Amino acid sequence: MGLRKPPLYDAHADAGARFTEFGGWDMPVEYDSIKAEHAAVREAVGIFDVSHMSEIEVSGPDATALMQRLTTNDVTALDPGDSQYSAIVNDEGVIIDDTVVYRLPDRDDRVYLFIPNAGHDEEMYDRWTSFRDEWDLDATVDDVTEDWAMFAVQGPDALETVTDAAPDANLGELSKFQATFADVAGVECWVARTGYTGEDGFEVLCPWDDAETVWSSLDATPCGLGSRDTLRMEMGYLLSGQDFDPEDEPRTPYEAGIGFVVKRDTEFVGRDALERQKEAGVDETFVGFTLLDRGVPRHGYDIATEDGDVVGVVTSGTMSPTLSEPIGLGYVPTEYAEEGTVLYVLVRGREKRAEIVTPPFIDR
């Protein structure tokens, strides 16, 4: 089966984008350069096509019950237009995916839209419908991934850019993690003050067939997934399939540093396992580090002690475009996780000193 393509694939190709496979999609990785696109977001405004992200809509009388049992956060706290970061875990509390859950304006019943990561739509649709049927809940679950295009407008000038395209929407009144339907270039869009870069910004969901109209109305530097990755690493944000993976990197929210999304006073799949881990504590934890020696840390590199004992692994690493120094993320035993601890990353078999730091790596 071939790679899925975003609605603006041809437009990106015409703009000189280079592409990469990600989550079963063929997506722009860079246009000009990762460094230039990274700087555009930190200093002005960039726009990313993130139409590879999945979208699942849940509605009906028992929609809230279904969402509450399958995500770790408390969806009952959401009013229409609110959203929350959350995790989806298995019976052992291991993260299957992380997600943002939106509560849409009510229709006959409450309606939720949640955003699994790329390539996870079928898995999440199957999970939601199978548990719905097992628990005999009255809820409708729809995979609407290819109904929506999704663009992320990020950077200090993001508000001005989105406001120019939606002058009647008062988007400046949205707080972080709030959203609303708004007219963007004559197209009704779901506009949320969310993002994955550490900058102010908006994520704009529009009908798939209107993608070109909306994209062209947003005057920002086109950016690919390469700079999206370096931007999120500078903030210490998790990447699904890399910083956690139920098969290759099984981690719980407490190990991965997102324990704040676990509301143990709610009932959800995996709650009992996470309750036990919260009481016992974790053995390993997610950390950031900077290399003190020349080199660039990469996914899969070992982390070792001064004596050469391998104690952890790098899950993400790059040369920070903002800091011009090598940074990384990974897991180490808790006794090595204190800020300032010096360990060693094995870069192509050579030991490079690494100092543990607490992300974000930049002042935001």
Side-chain angles (χ1 to χ4, degrees), residues 220-257:
T221 299
C223 300
L225 297 186
S227 59
R228 191 168 183 256
D229 197 39
T230 56
L231 289 157
R232 69 92 191 169
M233 271 191 266
E234 289 185 343
M235 295 303 297
Y237 294 157
L238 297 168
L239 177 62
S240 175
Q242 192 161 301
D243 297 311
F244 66 85
D245 184 278
E247 300 296 331
D248 298 328
E249 192 63 59
R251 297 293 176 178
T252 70
Y254 293 124
E255 292 172 321

PDB file of all heavy atoms in Angstrom, residues 220-257:
ATOM      1  N   ALA A 220       2.914  33.131   6.080  1.00  0.00           N
ATOM      2  CA  ALA A 220       3.978  32.695   6.980  1.00  0.00           C
ATOM      3  C   ALA A 220       4.983  31.861   6.203  1.00  0.00           C
ATOM      4  O   ALA A 220       4.687  31.354   5.107  1.00  0.00           O
ATOM      5  CB  ALA A 220       3.397  31.875   8.138  1.00  0.00           C
ATOM      6  N   THR A 221       6.168  31.692   6.755  1.00  0.00           N
ATOM      7  CA  THR A 221       7.209  30.892   6.119  1.00  0.00           C
ATOM      8  C   THR A 221       6.822  29.414   6.136  1.00  0.00           C
ATOM      9  O   THR A 221       6.593  28.853   7.217  1.00  0.00           O
ATOM     10  CB  THR A 221       8.550  31.067   6.853  1.00  0.00           C
ATOM     11  OG1 THR A 221       8.944  32.437   6.802  1.00  0.00           O
ATOM     12  CG2 THR A 221       9.640  30.199   6.221  1.00  0.00           C
ATOM     13  N   PRO A 222       6.727  28.751   4.991  1.00  0.00           N
ATOM     14  CA  PRO A 222       6.441  27.314   4.994  1.00  0.00           C
ATOM     15  C   PRO A 222       7.564  26.537   5.671  1.00  0.00           C
ATOM     16  O   PRO A 222       8.748  26.775   5.405  1.00  0.00           O
ATOM     17  CB  PRO A 222       6.340  26.961   3.504  1.00  0.00           C
ATOM     18  CG  PRO A 222       6.105  28.261   2.805  1.00  0.00           C
ATOM     19  CD  PRO A 222       6.818  29.288   3.618  1.00  0.00           C
ATOM     20  N   CYS A 223       7.182  25.630   6.545  1.00  0.00           N
ATOM     21  CA  CYS A 223       8.146  24.856   7.323  1.00  0.00           C
ATOM     22  C   CYS A 223       7.814  23.372   7.227  1.00  0.00           C
ATOM     23  O   CYS A 223       6.641  22.993   7.167  1.00  0.00           O
ATOM     24  CB  CYS A 223       8.123  25.271   8.790  1.00  0.00           C
ATOM     25  SG  CYS A 223       8.516  27.007   9.108  1.00  0.00           S
ATOM     26  N   GLY A 224       8.842  22.556   7.245  1.00  0.00           N
ATOM     27  CA  GLY A 224       8.645  21.120   7.172  1.00  0.00           C
ATOM     28  C   GLY A 224       8.796  20.443   8.520  1.00  0.00           C
ATOM     29  O   GLY A 224       9.073  21.074   9.546  1.00  0.00           O
ATOM     30  N   LEU A 225       8.645  19.124   8.496  1.00  0.00           N
ATOM     31  CA  LEU A 225       8.694  18.365   9.745  1.00  0.00           C
ATOM     32  C   LEU A 225      10.086  18.338  10.364  1.00  0.00           C
ATOM     33  O   LEU A 225      10.224  18.065  11.558  1.00  0.00           O
ATOM     34  CB  LEU A 225       8.210  16.934   9.493  1.00  0.00           C
ATOM     35  CG  LEU A 225       6.768  16.766   9.033  1.00  0.00           C
ATOM     36  CD1 LEU A 225       6.407  15.284   8.980  1.00  0.00           C
ATOM     37  CD2 LEU A 225       5.796  17.519   9.934  1.00  0.00           C
ATOM     38  N   GLY A 226      11.119  18.642   9.570  1.00  0.00           N
ATOM     39  CA  GLY A 226      12.464  18.686  10.132  1.00  0.00           C
ATOM     40  C   GLY A 226      12.599  19.747  11.204  1.00  0.00           C
ATOM     41  O   GLY A 226      13.096  19.490  12.313  1.00  0.00           O
ATOM     42  N   SER A 227      12.141  20.967  10.908  1.00  0.00           N
ATOM     43  CA  SER A 227      12.227  22.037  11.905  1.00  0.00           C
ATOM     44  C   SER A 227      11.204  21.840  13.018  1.00  0.00           C
ATOM     45  O   SER A 227      11.451  22.229  14.175  1.00  0.00           O
ATOM     46  CB  SER A 227      12.041  23.406  11.246  1.00  0.00           C
ATOM     47  OG  SER A 227      10.791  23.494  10.579  1.00  0.00           O
ATOM     48  N   ARG A 228      10.078  21.229  12.717  1.00  0.00           N
ATOM     49  CA  ARG A 228       9.114  20.913  13.780  1.00  0.00           C
ATOM     50  C   ARG A 228       9.766  20.006  14.819  1.00  0.00           C
ATOM     51  O   ARG A 228       9.517  20.139  16.023  1.00  0.00           O
ATOM     52  CB  ARG A 228       7.875  20.257  13.180  1.00  0.00           C
ATOM     53  CG  ARG A 228       6.675  20.112  14.125  1.00  0.00           C
ATOM     54  CD  ARG A 228       5.433  19.732  13.337  1.00  0.00           C
ATOM     55  NE  ARG A 228       4.239  19.646  14.182  1.00  0.00           N
ATOM     56  CZ  ARG A 228       3.680  18.512  14.588  1.00  0.00           C
ATOM     57  NH1 ARG A 228       4.227  17.352  14.221  1.00  0.00           N
ATOM     58  NH2 ARG A 228       2.596  18.509  15.331  1.00  0.00           N
ATOM     59  N   ASP A 229      10.629  19.102  14.361  1.00  0.00           N
ATOM     60  CA  ASP A 229      11.316  18.188  15.264  1.00  0.00           C
ATOM     61  C   ASP A 229      12.354  18.914  16.119  1.00  0.00           C
ATOM     62  O   ASP A 229      12.425  18.716  17.333  1.00  0.00           O
ATOM     63  CB  ASP A 229      11.974  17.073  14.452  1.00  0.00           C
ATOM     64  CG  ASP A 229      12.356  15.873  15.306  1.00  0.00           C
ATOM     65  OD1 ASP A 229      11.583  15.510  16.219  1.00  0.00           O
ATOM     66  OD2 ASP A 229      13.419  15.289  15.058  1.00  0.00           O
ATOM     67  N   THR A 230      13.157  19.787  15.510  1.00  0.00           N
ATOM     68  CA  THR A 230      14.163  20.499  16.306  1.00  0.00           C
ATOM     69  C   THR A 230      13.504  21.471  17.281  1.00  0.00           C
ATOM     70  O   THR A 230      13.987  21.657  18.406  1.00  0.00           O
ATOM     71  CB  THR A 230      15.152  21.245  15.392  1.00  0.00           C
ATOM     72  OG1 THR A 230      14.442  22.135  14.511  1.00  0.00           O
ATOM     73  CG2 THR A 230      15.962  20.265  14.558  1.00  0.00           C
ATOM     74  N   LEU A 231      12.402  22.077  16.868  1.00  0.00           N
ATOM     75  CA  LEU A 231      11.683  22.995  17.752  1.00  0.00           C
ATOM     76  C   LEU A 231      11.131  22.265  18.975  1.00  0.00           C
ATOM     77  O   LEU A 231      11.275  22.728  20.113  1.00  0.00           O
ATOM     78  CB  LEU A 231      10.547  23.681  16.988  1.00  0.00           C
ATOM     79  CG  LEU A 231      10.976  24.720  15.945  1.00  0.00           C
ATOM     80  CD1 LEU A 231       9.889  24.902  14.900  1.00  0.00           C
ATOM     81  CD2 LEU A 231      11.322  26.056  16.610  1.00  0.00           C
ATOM     82  N   ARG A 232      10.517  21.092  18.758  1.00  0.00           N
ATOM     83  CA  ARG A 232       9.930  20.370  19.902  1.00  0.00           C
ATOM     84  C   ARG A 232      11.028  19.815  20.793  1.00  0.00           C
ATOM     85  O   ARG A 232      10.859  19.733  22.013  1.00  0.00           O
ATOM     86  CB  ARG A 232       8.963  19.294  19.420  1.00  0.00           C
ATOM     87  CG  ARG A 232       9.552  18.093  18.689  1.00  0.00           C
ATOM     88  CD  ARG A 232       9.875  16.922  19.593  1.00  0.00           C
ATOM     89  NE  ARG A 232      10.654  15.924  18.880  1.00  0.00           N
ATOM     90  CZ  ARG A 232      11.249  14.915  19.495  1.00  0.00           C
ATOM     91  NH1 ARG A 232      11.185  14.758  20.796  1.00  0.00           N
ATOM     92  NH2 ARG A 232      11.961  14.046  18.796  1.00  0.00           N
ATOM     93  N   MET A 233      12.185  19.437  20.214  1.00  0.00           N
ATOM     94  CA  MET A 233      13.277  18.936  21.060  1.00  0.00           C
ATOM     95  C   MET A 233      13.805  20.027  21.982  1.00  0.00           C
ATOM     96  O   MET A 233      14.146  19.756  23.133  1.00  0.00           O
ATOM     97  CB  MET A 233      14.403  18.366  20.188  1.00  0.00           C
ATOM     98  CG  MET A 233      14.231  16.901  19.861  1.00  0.00           C
ATOM     99  SD  MET A 233      15.712  16.184  19.112  1.00  0.00           S
ATOM    100  CE  MET A 233      15.312  16.361  17.377  1.00  0.00           C
ATOM    101  N   GLU A 234      13.897  21.253  21.485  1.00  0.00           N
ATOM    102  CA  GLU A 234      14.354  22.349  22.353  1.00  0.00           C
ATOM    103  C   GLU A 234      13.423  22.554  23.538  1.00  0.00           C
ATOM    104  O   GLU A 234      13.835  23.060  24.576  1.00  0.00           O
ATOM    105  CB  GLU A 234      14.482  23.639  21.545  1.00  0.00           C
ATOM    106  CG  GLU A 234      15.650  23.640  20.579  1.00  0.00           C
ATOM    107  CD  GLU A 234      15.839  24.963  19.865  1.00  0.00           C
ATOM    108  OE1 GLU A 234      14.898  25.790  19.850  1.00  0.00           O
ATOM    109  OE2 GLU A 234      16.936  25.173  19.309  1.00  0.00           O
ATOM    110  N   MET A 235      12.165  22.157  23.390  1.00  0.00           N
ATOM    111  CA  MET A 235      11.200  22.278  24.481  1.00  0.00           C
ATOM    112  C   MET A 235      11.120  21.020  25.346  1.00  0.00           C
ATOM    113  O   MET A 235      10.476  21.019  26.398  1.00  0.00           O
ATOM    114  CB  MET A 235       9.809  22.584  23.915  1.00  0.00           C
ATOM    115  CG  MET A 235       9.721  23.919  23.222  1.00  0.00           C
ATOM    116  SD  MET A 235      10.206  25.295  24.290  1.00  0.00           S
ATOM    117  CE  MET A 235       8.945  25.192  25.563  1.00  0.00           C
ATOM    118  N   GLY A 236      11.737  19.938  24.890  1.00  0.00           N
ATOM    119  CA  GLY A 236      11.660  18.683  25.624  1.00  0.00           C
ATOM    120  C   GLY A 236      10.358  17.941  25.440  1.00  0.00           C
ATOM    121  O   GLY A 236       9.990  17.096  26.261  1.00  0.00           O
ATOM    122  N   TYR A 237       9.643  18.221  24.338  1.00  0.00           N
ATOM    123  CA  TYR A 237       8.363  17.558  24.077  1.00  0.00           C
ATOM    124  C   TYR A 237       8.587  16.148  23.539  1.00  0.00           C
ATOM    125  O   TYR A 237       9.528  15.895  22.773  1.00  0.00           O
ATOM    126  CB  TYR A 237       7.537  18.353  23.066  1.00  0.00           C
ATOM    127  CG  TYR A 237       7.070  19.713  23.532  1.00  0.00           C
ATOM    128  CD1 TYR A 237       6.738  20.697  22.605  1.00  0.00           C
ATOM    129  CD2 TYR A 237       6.950  20.023  24.885  1.00  0.00           C
ATOM    130  CE1 TYR A 237       6.296  21.955  23.000  1.00  0.00           C
ATOM    131  CE2 TYR A 237       6.507  21.278  25.290  1.00  0.00           C
ATOM    132  CZ  TYR A 237       6.188  22.242  24.349  1.00  0.00           C
ATOM    133  OH  TYR A 237       5.748  23.481  24.744  1.00  0.00           O
ATOM    134  N   LEU A 238       7.688  15.254  23.889  1.00  0.00           N
ATOM    135  CA  LEU A 238       7.763  13.868  23.457  1.00  0.00           C
ATOM    136  C   LEU A 238       7.391  13.714  21.985  1.00  0.00           C
ATOM    137  O   LEU A 238       6.515  14.417  21.481  1.00  0.00           O
ATOM    138  CB  LEU A 238       6.801  13.008  24.280  1.00  0.00           C
ATOM    139  CG  LEU A 238       7.046  12.912  25.786  1.00  0.00           C
ATOM    140  CD1 LEU A 238       5.846  12.271  26.462  1.00  0.00           C
ATOM    141  CD2 LEU A 238       8.312  12.121  26.074  1.00  0.00           C
ATOM    142  N   LEU A 239       8.029  12.738  21.322  1.00  0.00           N
ATOM    143  CA  LEU A 239       7.654  12.341  19.973  1.00  0.00           C
ATOM    144  C   LEU A 239       7.199  10.889  20.013  1.00  0.00           C
ATOM    145  O   LEU A 239       7.967   9.984  20.375  1.00  0.00           O
ATOM    146  CB  LEU A 239       8.825  12.496  19.007  1.00  0.00           C
ATOM    147  CG  LEU A 239       8.561  12.026  17.566  1.00  0.00           C
ATOM    148  CD1 LEU A 239       7.437  12.832  16.921  1.00  0.00           C
ATOM    149  CD2 LEU A 239       9.834  12.117  16.728  1.00  0.00           C
ATOM    150  N   SER A 240       5.953  10.668  19.632  1.00  0.00           N
ATOM    151  CA  SER A 240       5.392   9.322  19.594  1.00  0.00           C
ATOM    152  C   SER A 240       6.189   8.438  18.638  1.00  0.00           C
ATOM    153  O   SER A 240       6.565   8.867  17.547  1.00  0.00           O
ATOM    154  CB  SER A 240       3.926   9.385  19.144  1.00  0.00           C
ATOM    155  OG  SER A 240       3.379   8.103  18.993  1.00  0.00           O
ATOM    156  N   GLY A 241       6.445   7.196  19.058  1.00  0.00           N
ATOM    157  CA  GLY A 241       7.205   6.276  18.240  1.00  0.00           C
ATOM    158  C   GLY A 241       8.696   6.392  18.417  1.00  0.00           C
ATOM    159  O   GLY A 241       9.459   5.563  17.900  1.00  0.00           O
ATOM    160  N   GLN A 242       9.133   7.409  19.156  1.00  0.00           N
ATOM    161  CA  GLN A 242      10.563   7.625  19.361  1.00  0.00           C
ATOM    162  C   GLN A 242      10.882   7.787  20.847  1.00  0.00           C
ATOM    163  O   GLN A 242      11.685   7.034  21.400  1.00  0.00           O
ATOM    164  CB  GLN A 242      11.030   8.842  18.570  1.00  0.00           C
ATOM    165  CG  GLN A 242      12.540   8.991  18.491  1.00  0.00           C
ATOM    166  CD  GLN A 242      12.963   9.907  17.354  1.00  0.00           C
ATOM    167  OE1 GLN A 242      12.658   9.661  16.184  1.00  0.00           O
ATOM    168  NE2 GLN A 242      13.667  10.975  17.689  1.00  0.00           N
ATOM    169  N   ASP A 243      10.249   8.758  21.503  1.00  0.00           N
ATOM    170  CA  ASP A 243      10.453   8.941  22.937  1.00  0.00           C
ATOM    171  C   ASP A 243       9.574   8.008  23.757  1.00  0.00           C
ATOM    172  O   ASP A 243       9.784   7.855  24.957  1.00  0.00           O
ATOM    173  CB  ASP A 243      10.190  10.400  23.331  1.00  0.00           C
ATOM    174  CG  ASP A 243      11.168  11.348  22.655  1.00  0.00           C
ATOM    175  OD1 ASP A 243      12.374  11.065  22.709  1.00  0.00           O
ATOM    176  OD2 ASP A 243      10.723  12.337  22.048  1.00  0.00           O
ATOM    177  N   PHE A 244       8.582   7.446  23.138  1.00  0.00           N
ATOM    178  CA  PHE A 244       7.809   6.350  23.721  1.00  0.00           C
ATOM    179  C   PHE A 244       7.235   5.521  22.585  1.00  0.00           C
ATOM    180  O   PHE A 244       6.947   6.036  21.510  1.00  0.00           O
ATOM    181  CB  PHE A 244       6.683   6.862  24.642  1.00  0.00           C
ATOM    182  CG  PHE A 244       5.608   7.634  23.931  1.00  0.00           C
ATOM    183  CD1 PHE A 244       4.545   6.985  23.320  1.00  0.00           C
ATOM    184  CD2 PHE A 244       5.657   9.013  23.866  1.00  0.00           C
ATOM    185  CE1 PHE A 244       3.554   7.699  22.648  1.00  0.00           C
ATOM    186  CE2 PHE A 244       4.675   9.739  23.190  1.00  0.00           C
ATOM    187  CZ  PHE A 244       3.617   9.075  22.585  1.00  0.00           C
ATOM    188  N   ASP A 245       7.107   4.235  22.822  1.00  0.00           N
ATOM    189  CA  ASP A 245       6.523   3.318  21.855  1.00  0.00           C
ATOM    190  C   ASP A 245       6.137   2.056  22.607  1.00  0.00           C
ATOM    191  O   ASP A 245       6.970   1.513  23.348  1.00  0.00           O
ATOM    192  CB  ASP A 245       7.526   2.979  20.749  1.00  0.00           C
ATOM    193  CG  ASP A 245       6.930   2.101  19.668  1.00  0.00           C
ATOM    194  OD1 ASP A 245       6.878   0.861  19.875  1.00  0.00           O
ATOM    195  OD2 ASP A 245       6.507   2.628  18.626  1.00  0.00           O
ATOM    196  N   PRO A 246       4.903   1.596  22.489  1.00  0.00           N
ATOM    197  CA  PRO A 246       4.475   0.460  23.301  1.00  0.00           C
ATOM    198  C   PRO A 246       5.279  -0.814  23.039  1.00  0.00           C
ATOM    199  O   PRO A 246       5.351  -1.685  23.909  1.00  0.00           O
ATOM    200  CB  PRO A 246       3.000   0.276  22.933  1.00  0.00           C
ATOM    201  CG  PRO A 246       2.820   0.993  21.641  1.00  0.00           C
ATOM    202  CD  PRO A 246       3.809   2.106  21.649  1.00  0.00           C
ATOM    203  N   GLU A 247       5.914  -0.903  21.873  1.00  0.00           N
ATOM    204  CA  GLU A 247       6.715  -2.084  21.557  1.00  0.00           C
ATOM    205  C   GLU A 247       8.204  -1.840  21.795  1.00  0.00           C
ATOM    206  O   GLU A 247       8.868  -2.612  22.485  1.00  0.00           O
ATOM    207  CB  GLU A 247       6.479  -2.500  20.094  1.00  0.00           C
ATOM    208  CG  GLU A 247       5.039  -2.858  19.772  1.00  0.00           C
ATOM    209  CD  GLU A 247       4.546  -4.074  20.526  1.00  0.00           C
ATOM    210  OE1 GLU A 247       5.378  -4.952  20.851  1.00  0.00           O
ATOM    211  OE2 GLU A 247       3.339  -4.141  20.810  1.00  0.00           O
ATOM    212  N   ASP A 248       8.740  -0.781  21.203  1.00  0.00           N
ATOM    213  CA  ASP A 248      10.185  -0.562  21.204  1.00  0.00           C
ATOM    214  C   ASP A 248      10.687   0.296  22.363  1.00  0.00           C
ATOM    215  O   ASP A 248      11.869   0.202  22.728  1.00  0.00           O
ATOM    216  CB  ASP A 248      10.609   0.098  19.886  1.00  0.00           C
ATOM    217  CG  ASP A 248      10.301  -0.783  18.687  1.00  0.00           C
ATOM    218  OD1 ASP A 248      10.358  -2.020  18.829  1.00  0.00           O
ATOM    219  OD2 ASP A 248       9.988  -0.227  17.611  1.00  0.00           O
ATOM    220  N   GLU A 249       9.846   1.149  22.927  1.00  0.00           N
ATOM    221  CA  GLU A 249      10.239   2.015  24.047  1.00  0.00           C
ATOM    222  C   GLU A 249       9.051   2.148  24.991  1.00  0.00           C
ATOM    223  O   GLU A 249       8.466   3.226  25.144  1.00  0.00           O
ATOM    224  CB  GLU A 249      10.679   3.384  23.524  1.00  0.00           C
ATOM    225  CG  GLU A 249      11.384   4.284  24.547  1.00  0.00           C
ATOM    226  CD  GLU A 249      12.684   3.701  25.051  1.00  0.00           C
ATOM    227  OE1 GLU A 249      13.594   3.449  24.236  1.00  0.00           O
ATOM    228  OE2 GLU A 249      12.766   3.485  26.280  1.00  0.00           O
ATOM    229  N   PRO A 250       8.644   1.043  25.641  1.00  0.00           N
ATOM    230  CA  PRO A 250       7.447   1.077  26.491  1.00  0.00           C
ATOM    231  C   PRO A 250       7.671   1.925  27.741  1.00  0.00           C
ATOM    232  O   PRO A 250       8.523   1.607  28.576  1.00  0.00           O
ATOM    233  CB  PRO A 250       7.207  -0.399  26.830  1.00  0.00           C
ATOM    234  CG  PRO A 250       8.545  -1.054  26.663  1.00  0.00           C
ATOM    235  CD  PRO A 250       9.259  -0.306  25.588  1.00  0.00           C
ATOM    236  N   ARG A 251       6.900   2.989  27.859  1.00  0.00           N
ATOM    237  CA  ARG A 251       7.051   3.925  28.979  1.00  0.00           C
ATOM    238  C   ARG A 251       5.680   4.352  29.475  1.00  0.00           C
ATOM    239  O   ARG A 251       4.723   4.478  28.700  1.00  0.00           O
ATOM    240  CB  ARG A 251       7.827   5.177  28.539  1.00  0.00           C
ATOM    241  CG  ARG A 251       9.256   4.884  28.096  1.00  0.00           C
ATOM    242  CD  ARG A 251      10.132   4.412  29.239  1.00  0.00           C
ATOM    243  NE  ARG A 251      11.482   4.045  28.794  1.00  0.00           N
ATOM    244  CZ  ARG A 251      12.440   3.647  29.608  1.00  0.00           C
ATOM    245  NH1 ARG A 251      12.197   3.564  30.918  1.00  0.00           N
ATOM    246  NH2 ARG A 251      13.626   3.334  29.130  1.00  0.00           N
ATOM    247  N   THR A 252       5.595   4.598  30.757  1.00  0.00           N
ATOM    248  CA  THR A 252       4.364   5.117  31.345  1.00  0.00           C
ATOM    249  C   THR A 252       4.429   6.645  31.384  1.00  0.00           C
ATOM    250  O   THR A 252       5.505   7.234  31.223  1.00  0.00           O
ATOM    251  CB  THR A 252       4.187   4.599  32.777  1.00  0.00           C
ATOM    252  OG1 THR A 252       5.177   5.212  33.617  1.00  0.00           O
ATOM    253  CG2 THR A 252       4.313   3.080  32.844  1.00  0.00           C
ATOM    254  N   PRO A 253       3.301   7.303  31.615  1.00  0.00           N
ATOM    255  CA  PRO A 253       3.348   8.766  31.733  1.00  0.00           C
ATOM    256  C   PRO A 253       4.286   9.246  32.839  1.00  0.00           C
ATOM    257  O   PRO A 253       4.931  10.297  32.680  1.00  0.00           O
ATOM    258  CB  PRO A 253       1.893   9.134  32.040  1.00  0.00           C
ATOM    259  CG  PRO A 253       1.089   8.045  31.401  1.00  0.00           C
ATOM    260  CD  PRO A 253       1.903   6.802  31.605  1.00  0.00           C
ATOM    261  N   TYR A 254       4.395   8.493  33.934  1.00  0.00           N
ATOM    262  CA  TYR A 254       5.281   8.918  35.022  1.00  0.00           C
ATOM    263  C   TYR A 254       6.740   8.812  34.608  1.00  0.00           C
ATOM    264  O   TYR A 254       7.557   9.679  34.942  1.00  0.00           O
ATOM    265  CB  TYR A 254       5.004   8.098  36.280  1.00  0.00           C
ATOM    266  CG  TYR A 254       3.649   8.366  36.884  1.00  0.00           C
ATOM    267  CD1 TYR A 254       2.747   7.334  37.106  1.00  0.00           C
ATOM    268  CD2 TYR A 254       3.256   9.661  37.209  1.00  0.00           C
ATOM    269  CE1 TYR A 254       1.490   7.584  37.651  1.00  0.00           C
ATOM    270  CE2 TYR A 254       2.001   9.923  37.755  1.00  0.00           C
ATOM    271  CZ  TYR A 254       1.130   8.886  37.971  1.00  0.00           C
ATOM    272  OH  TYR A 254      -0.119   9.135  38.493  1.00  0.00           O
ATOM    273  N   GLU A 255       7.099   7.776  33.881  1.00  0.00           N
ATOM    274  CA  GLU A 255       8.469   7.653  33.395  1.00  0.00           C
ATOM    275  C   GLU A 255       8.773   8.708  32.338  1.00  0.00           C
ATOM    276  O   GLU A 255       9.899   9.228  32.269  1.00  0.00           O
ATOM    277  CB  GLU A 255       8.688   6.260  32.800  1.00  0.00           C
ATOM    278  CG  GLU A 255       8.662   5.136  33.815  1.00  0.00           C
ATOM    279  CD  GLU A 255       8.678   3.766  33.155  1.00  0.00           C
ATOM    280  OE1 GLU A 255       8.014   3.591  32.114  1.00  0.00           O
ATOM    281  OE2 GLU A 255       9.349   2.863  33.691  1.00  0.00           O
ATOM    282  N   ALA A 256       7.783   9.027  31.503  1.00  0.00           N
ATOM    283  CA  ALA A 256       7.986   9.938  30.378  1.00  0.00           C
ATOM    284  C   ALA A 256       7.863  11.412  30.758  1.00  0.00           C
ATOM    285  O   ALA A 256       7.951  12.284  29.880  1.00  0.00           O
ATOM    286  CB  ALA A 256       7.000   9.608  29.264  1.00  0.00           C
ATOM    287  N   GLY A 257       7.621  11.695  32.027  1.00  0.00           N
ATOM    288  CA  GLY A 257       7.578  13.080  32.472  1.00  0.00           C
ATOM    289  C   GLY A 257       6.282  13.803  32.212  1.00  0.00           C
ATOM    290  O   GLY A 257       6.224  15.036  32.275  1.00  0.00           O
TER     291      GLY A 257
END
